Amino acid sequence: MNTSKRDRYTLKQYTRVIIAFFAILLVLLLYQYTTLYFKGVVDTILSTSFFIAVAHQLGYASIVALLLVFPFNFWENYRPAYGLNLVFAILIVLLLIEAMLVSYYCTALVPLGSDLLGYSFKDIKETISNSGGISIMPIIGALAMIALFFGTYKLTSRYYHYLGRMYPFTIILFSLFISTLFLEGKPINQNKTQYLVLNLYNSTTEDTSYDANVEYPLIKAQQTTDVLGEYFELKEEKPNIVFLIVEGLGRDFVGEGAEYGGFTPFLDSLTTKSLYWENCLSTTGRTFGVIPGLLGSLPFGRSGFMELEKYPNKLTLFSVLKNNGYHTSFYQGTNSSFDGVDRFLLSENLDFVLDKSGFGNKYKLQAEDAAGSTWGYPDKELFRKSMSLPRNTGQPRMEAYMTISNHEPFIPPNQEHYTKMVKKLLQEGSFDSRTKKIIKKNDNVFATLLYTDSTLKFVLEAYKKQPGYDNTIFIITGDHRLIPIPQRNAISRFHVPLIVYSPLLKTTRKMSSISSHFDVTPTLLALLDNKYEMKMPKKVAWMGDALDTEIAFRSTKNIPLMRNKNELKEYISGTKVYSDGAIFEIDGNMNLGSSFSGAGVEEKLTAFKSMNAYVTTSDKIIPDSLAIFTVKTEKFANSEMVWINSLLNEYDSDKLYFIARDFAFDKEYDKALLLSRYIISESPSHIDTKILTGRVNAWRGARTKAIEILNACIKMNPNYIDSYAALFDVYYWDGRHREALALIKKVEENSSSVNEITDKIERARREARKNQIVAHN
């Protein structure tokens, strides 16, 4: 049809589109409450909360209608049907966004907010693929939703005459919008798109300017009281320190009185043989903050300390202990580039780091989800690998583990066995009906908890066979509480157990007073400094102080809590808790009740935000003179950075790697090496770039340097076949046939992809025979 002859659409058709839009919002709302009901999160679907949510969706539809009516009229006057088609397209996009955000909320039980800005596209993609992936069902759901939208629009033609008798449409919309401004909403009943937009706006426009009357506001004398010494019988040799940071290990699952008790029997037993803080708080609600908070007592920065573009000078437990003769190491079964872990550990000069790339073919990856993705190696494989590594008996060690199994998609090894255990515990336990319902609907989560608990038992038993076990202190805690299981209140996600277990303990003790991860590093260093001649910094900038060892419940500390990246919305000051504009009173069961006092807590949070931004962006945590390891950064000339930035607007290590590789293939070696150096400075664990650097050096004739680089790649990732392929080539070009022959045995032992380079292996054997070199076993 010739569009010039079409009649322009009027407010009647526009009204019908908005009604259809609102109807689909209600469908999504019904999907949310139904999903939460079957997960055991809410008790009923058509609750008061549901009808409040209907009002919020009505308000959201109203403001969308008000904003779109102007472009609708403009384009309809310009050319018939353009305005209506534009509105249709925009509303479909908004519905798809709302559907994704509702699905996220049903999984995470918290709405997506400004934390979205704290993750790179690569991190988001990895999280989605490893937490269930993208399947065909969401696509079918999206198509069904769009079809329903159009169908509802067609249906409204029958009923529009009822609306036509009312007041002018824009007045109705404006009134509805104004009314919802006075209707208080919680995350469960707010429109998720509106929440995200407002959250992003508030986060990006927040004033965090700081009037610095003190240049280093966190600096204080090293005067942390030794509160642990009386509980330990320390030896003459410094003790080994081992951290077990357990994914999702919340207090609600561990110890006496746990809401979901019985699924961590080993840890439950261990709490009675340890120093046990039942009311410890992680300082962030996600994994991104546990390493800086627990092992560095460091402030957050805007999106978490490890996300800072440039690290300020800092002190951590790693650096202080390394400076006192400790061998420092870190172990995880996942990709260490996620959340910037590799950058942070590199800045601390650790002696050894194990991640997903370093396991070899003797260890089995976590089962793939429906999308064929996996986070990496499950917890028991992580501990098995660690126990296989040699340990120097003449040197104290600080070892830190970060586990992953207790995370979406919750597919533990031998899942059927642990699921049967969940059913048995449900039958034997005395859970109330609500708790029982939640456990039934999330049996895979609780099966994973049982698996995780069994792996912790395994690793502590395995340590008994390691040298120095009788002189080792174990610290076990969670990075945050499990997200998918319903939480009681705003601080539940931070509530984790803290267990200090050791053969060196003289006595055990259970503490109900509140402490946080910020307090762990200062407390351990005070213990060591009181017994040994430690080289300690004269001044420190810890966020915390000594752990509170009071048995009875009390809360005396000031603790800022970062819920998600970019979301610093909770603050504890004594027994007062500020959360999202409300003040609560915290009691001995870590419940929150209404508080009629608490003036000044919000002001403390505001002041902290300003100080936090100042010290992390201006390098004002500690001065150079106090730093043990000054932060090493790659230096690039201005002209080099201009050239690098011209290649890609946004940093993406994989895309830049392919650009560097193309330069290398074109024999522009200087450009390839410069770009590779930049990639490695941003992503220290990007092994493909390191291999490329080795190859380029070989092509330029620097074969000794190339061999050194490629051997380091094999040490970093003994399973990755590309490192071996490159090294076989360099050995061949340099006539090192004996080394090539020895490499055959190494690749066959470590790599599961050895069949991919059979041609290079045969070439190495052929050259060895030519030169009459015999392999010695």
Side-chain angles (χ1 to χ4, degrees):
M1 181 185 289
N2 189 338
T3 56
S4 64
K5 294 182 180 180
R6 288 179 180 170
D7 293 330
R8 65 180 292 270
Y9 288 103
T10 64
L11 200 60
K12 175 179 178 179
Q13 286 78 24
Y14 182 73
T15 306
R16 289 170 52 203
V17 177
I18 296 301
I19 293 171
F21 175 66
F22 173 63
I24 305 307
L25 288 176
L26 293 186
V27 171
L28 290 174
L29 195 62
L30 195 61
Y31 164 77
Q32 172 189 296
Y33 276 84
T34 303
T35 302
L36 295 178
Y37 173 75
F38 283 108
K39 289 182 70 173
V41 179
V42 297
D43 297 326
T44 182
I45 298 174
L46 299 179
S47 60
T48 303
S49 175
F50 177 84
F51 291 107
I52 293 173
V54 171
H56 277 286
Q57 297 290 23
L58 188 58
Y60 173 68
S62 301
I63 191 172
V64 169
L66 283 170
L67 292 174
L68 292 183
V69 73
F70 302 107
F72 167 77
N73 275 321
F74 174 82
W75 285 104
E76 279 300 322
N77 288 326
Y78 176 72
R79 184 167 293 183
Y82 271 39
L84 192 70
N85 290 337
L86 174 67
V87 169
F88 261 116
I90 292 173
L91 294 182
I92 287 172
V93 170
L94 290 177
L95 287 172
L96 289 172
I97 291 172
E98 181 69 8
M100 288 188 290
L101 293 175
V102 166
S103 296
Y104 176 88
Y105 180 78
C106 289
T107 300
L109 303 184
V110 289
L112 187 63
S114 56
D115 51 318
L116 177 67
L117 299 176
Y119 292 94
S120 67
F121 177 74
K122 182 181 178 183
D123 283 351
I124 293 171
K125 187 169 68 173
E126 186 173 350
T127 300
I128 292 172
S129 66
N130 291 332
S131 299
I134 300 174
S135 66
I136 191 67
M137 290 308 297
I139 298 173
I140 294 173
L143 293 175
M145 184 181 69
I146 295 170
L148 186 60
F149 178 39
F150 280 103
T152 307
Y153 169 70
K154 295 291 185 184
L155 189 64
T156 55
S157 62
R158 299 182 186 179
Y159 304 100
Y160 179 75
H161 62 281
Y162 294 113
L163 273 176
R165 298 172 186 171
M166 299 181 184
Y167 291 105
F169 181 59
T170 52
I171 297 175
I172 296 170
L173 290 177
F174 187 72
S175 301
L176 291 171
F177 169 61
I178 293 297
S179 67
T180 58
L181 295 179
F182 298 96
L183 184 65
E184 184 181 359
K186 300 296 182 184
I188 188 173
N189 48 43
Q190 289 176 318
N191 176 272
K192 304 304 181 286
T193 307
Q194 188 174 341
Y195 179 94
L196 174 63
V197 171
L198 291 174
N199 210 265
L200 289 172
Y201 173 79
N202 291 334
S203 176
T204 53
T205 59
E206 186 176 39
D207 180 17
T208 55
S209 57
Y210 179 72
D211 295 326
N213 53 3
V214 178
E215 186 178 8
Y216 294 93
L218 283 174
I219 287 286
K220 54 191 172 185
Q222 171 67 288
Q223 295 177 339
T224 304
T225 304
D226 176 18
V227 297
L228 298 183
E230 62 182 291
Y231 303 103
F232 282 90
E233 190 70 60
L234 295 176
K235 299 178 181 290
E236 290 302 312
E237 303 81 18
K238 295 170 188 169
N240 301 311
I241 308 290
V242 176
F243 281 85
L244 297 169
I245 306 169
V246 184
E247 172 68 40
L249 187 68
R251 167 65 178 89
D252 287 345
F253 310 99
V254 178
E256 184 183 1
E259 184 177 4
Y260 301 97
F263 296 94
T264 57
F266 172 70
L267 284 181
D268 293 345
S269 171
L270 198 65
T271 61
T272 65
K273 305 169 186 174
S274 308
L275 300 177
Y276 169 47
W277 284 262
E278 67 171 352
N279 290 327
C280 182
L281 295 170
S282 64
T283 51
T284 57
R286 293 280 191 178
T287 309
F288 70 88
V290 68
I291 296 173
L294 183 68
L295 305 179
S297 197
L298 289 165
F300 303 112
R302 184 175 184 85
S303 304
F305 192 92
M306 294 193 299
E307 295 292 330
L308 290 170
E309 186 175 341
K310 180 184 177 184
Y311 290 147
N313 285 317
K314 61 191 184 302
L315 294 169
T316 71
L317 191 61
F318 281 128
S319 59
V320 175
L321 291 188
K322 185 176 174 67
N323 197 42
N324 281 273
Y326 275 74
H327 180 279
T328 54
S329 54
F330 184 86
Y331 308 89
Q332 67 179 114
T334 57
N335 187 348
S336 63
S337 66
F338 191 84
D339 277 338
V341 172
D342 55 353
R343 281 183 62 230
F344 184 84
L345 298 178
L346 182 68
S347 74
E348 291 300 292
N349 291 279
L350 264 69
D351 295 303
F352 178 76
V353 174
L354 172 74
D355 79 345
K356 180 180 178 180
S357 66
F359 276 70
N361 62 0
K362 297 177 182 178
Y363 301 89
K364 189 175 181 180
L365 284 164
Q366 179 178 289
E368 294 179 348
D369 58 27
S373 297
T374 176
W375 277 109
Y377 292 89
D379 298 347
K380 190 170 183 179
E381 296 297 271
L382 169 65
F383 296 139
R384 281 184 58 234
K385 175 65 179 179
S386 167
M387 293 298 103
S388 72
L389 300 172
R391 284 167 167 79
N392 184 353
T393 56
Q395 184 181 18
R397 302 178 62 87
M398 177 194 165
E399 303 178 343
Y401 295 82
M402 194 155 69
T403 72
I404 191 58
S405 292
N406 205 32
H407 190 288
E408 293 95 345
F410 300 105
I411 311 174
N414 201 6
Q415 185 173 16
E416 186 178 348
H417 166 73
Y418 292 107
T419 303
K420 287 179 180 177
M421 288 180 65
V422 172
K423 291 178 180 178
K424 183 179 179 183
L425 287 167
L426 269 174
Q427 292 171 354
E428 297 174 352
S430 56
F431 302 103
D432 60 44
S433 59
R434 179 180 177 274
T435 304
K436 186 175 290 189
K437 180 180 177 182
I438 291 171
I439 295 170
K440 282 182 179 178
K441 297 298 182 182
N442 297 277
D443 59 348
N444 61 325
V445 178
F446 289 92
T448 308
L449 260 174
L450 285 165
Y451 165 77
T452 298
D453 183 70
S454 71
T455 66
L456 294 172
K457 180 179 181 180
F458 167 81
V459 74
L460 284 184
E461 290 295 324
Y463 261 106
K464 290 180 180 178
K465 302 171 186 175
Q466 292 288 334
Y469 166 76
D470 59 347
N471 193 29
T472 301
I473 299 172
F474 297 92
I475 299 96
I476 304 171
T477 190
D479 56 350
H480 57 81
R481 180 198 184 277
L482 270 171
I483 300 295
I485 304 301
Q487 300 167 32
R488 287 178 294 143
N489 54 52
I491 62 168
S492 290
R493 69 184 305 166
F494 306 100
H495 190 192
V496 296
L498 175 64
I499 302 169
V500 177
Y501 171 76
S502 175
L504 298 168
L505 279 174
K506 294 189 293 186
T507 184
T508 63
R509 184 181 176 101
K510 175 180 145 182
M511 279 69 70
S512 296
S513 48
I514 291 180
S515 294
S516 80
H517 280 172
F518 283 145
D519 302 320
V520 173
T521 284
T523 302
L524 284 173
L525 288 175
L527 170 69
L528 297 175
D529 190 37
N530 196 36
K531 169 69 176 177
Y532 306 99
E533 292 186 8
M534 300 280 288
K535 292 185 286 185
M536 299 292 289
K538 294 178 181 178
K539 293 183 177 180
V540 295
W542 309 131
M543 285 285 296
D545 203 343
L547 288 162
D548 192 340
T549 55
E550 178 64 35
I551 291 177
F553 172 80
R554 71 176 180 183
S555 181
T556 61
K557 296 176 179 287
N558 290 310
I559 310 171
L561 302 170
M562 181 173 267
R563 186 188 306 175
N564 294 304
K565 293 183 179 182
N566 287 312
E567 292 190 341
L568 191 50
K569 295 186 174 183
E570 275 81 26
Y571 194 91
I572 294 178
S573 182
T575 58
K576 304 299 178 182
V577 179
Y578 174 86
S579 178
D580 255 346
I583 300 289
F584 301 96
E585 185 86 20
I586 190 169
D587 67 18
N589 295 316
M590 299 298 277
N591 293 318
L592 299 183
S594 298
S595 176
F596 299 102
S597 62
V601 183
E602 182 177 4
E603 288 73 14
K604 287 182 179 180
L605 174 59
T606 301
F608 172 78
K609 286 180 179 179
S610 298
M611 185 274 292
N612 171 63
Y614 166 70
V615 298
T616 53
T617 59
S618 305
D619 193 6
K620 297 298 181 182
I621 297 179
I622 59 171
D624 290 347
S625 59
L626 291 178
I628 295 174
F629 301 122
T630 54
V631 178
K632 297 176 182 177
T633 56
E634 282 283 353
K635 302 294 183 182
F636 297 94
N638 290 339
S639 58
E640 291 175 332
M641 283 308 305
V642 169
W643 175 75
I644 290 169
N645 291 333
S646 72
L647 299 174
L648 205 63
N649 287 329
E650 185 178 353
Y651 176 77
D652 185 307
S653 57
D654 292 331
K655 289 181 180 177
L656 285 175
Y657 161 72
F658 287 115
I659 295 172
R661 191 182 66 173
D662 289 341
F663 280 130
F665 289 168
D666 293 337
K667 298 185 179 180
E668 295 189 65
Y669 298 139
D670 289 338
K671 288 183 177 180
L673 288 175
L674 172 59
L675 192 53
S676 296
R677 189 160 59 90
Y678 174 71
I679 297 168
I680 293 170
S681 73
E682 295 291 326
S683 299
S685 61
H686 201 274
I687 192 165
D688 285 322
T689 303
K690 292 184 176 182
I691 294 170
L692 179 63
T693 303
R695 283 193 175 277
V696 172
N697 273 284
W699 294 336
R700 295 182 71 178
R703 290 173 185 160
T704 301
K705 185 174 182 180
I707 291 169
E708 180 184 336
I709 293 169
L710 294 171
N711 271 316
C713 289
I714 290 172
K715 183 178 179 181
M716 170 186 171
N717 186 342
N719 185 45
Y720 199 46
I721 199 64
D722 287 8
S723 304
Y724 297 99
L727 190 53
F728 272 120
D729 286 341
V730 179
Y731 282 154
Y732 173 67
W733 297 331
D734 209 41
R736 301 194 184 197
H737 308 305
R738 191 179 299 278
E739 288 93 329
L741 201 59
L743 188 60
I744 295 173
K745 183 178 180 181
K746 194 170 188 177
V747 67
E748 289 177 341
E749 286 179 350
N750 291 323
S751 181
S752 56
S753 306
V754 68
N755 60 303
E756 295 178 18
I757 59 168
T758 52
D759 57 333
K760 298 181 188 294
I761 291 173
E762 287 306 314
R763 182 182 64 186
R765 287 179 173 143
R766 188 168 58 249
E767 292 299 318
R769 285 195 296 270
K770 277 186 189 178
N771 292 274
Q772 297 182 334
I773 298 170
V774 180
H776 295 284
N777 293 322

